[in-house]
């Protein structure tokens, strides 16, 4: 069981846009997201929320420091 691969995603925000707007994007374009600067990022495993955290830089790479982990009971409730 411990060798089963999982998809881990860190979601910094989202937005909705029209295809017309998407096609107009180019280098330097800015996409406004639904989260405010400083809000916690969401950590999803197989599209299920497991934690929240803040972005950090480690050895010139981005990472996430977990600040809140969803309780085992809440994680089980998400499965249903």
């Amino acid at each position: 069981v411990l060798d089963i691969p999982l998809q881990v995603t860190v979601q910094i925000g989202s937005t909705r846009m029209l295809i017309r707007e998407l096609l107009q994007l180019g280098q330097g374009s800015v996409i406004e997201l639904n989260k405010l600067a400083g809000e916690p990022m969401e950590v999803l495993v197989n599209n299920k929320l497991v934690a929240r955290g803040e972005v950090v830089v480690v050895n010139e790479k981005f990472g996430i420091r977990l600040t809140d982990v969803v309780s085992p009971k809440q994680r089980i409730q998400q499965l249903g």
Side-chain angles (χ1 to χ4, degrees), residues 56-71:
V56 295
V57 178
V58 180
N59 296 328
E60 298 184 26
K61 294 184 179 181
F62 288 109
I64 187 161
R65 177 182 297 125
L66 300 182
T67 56
D68 179 40
V69 177
V70 175
S71 73

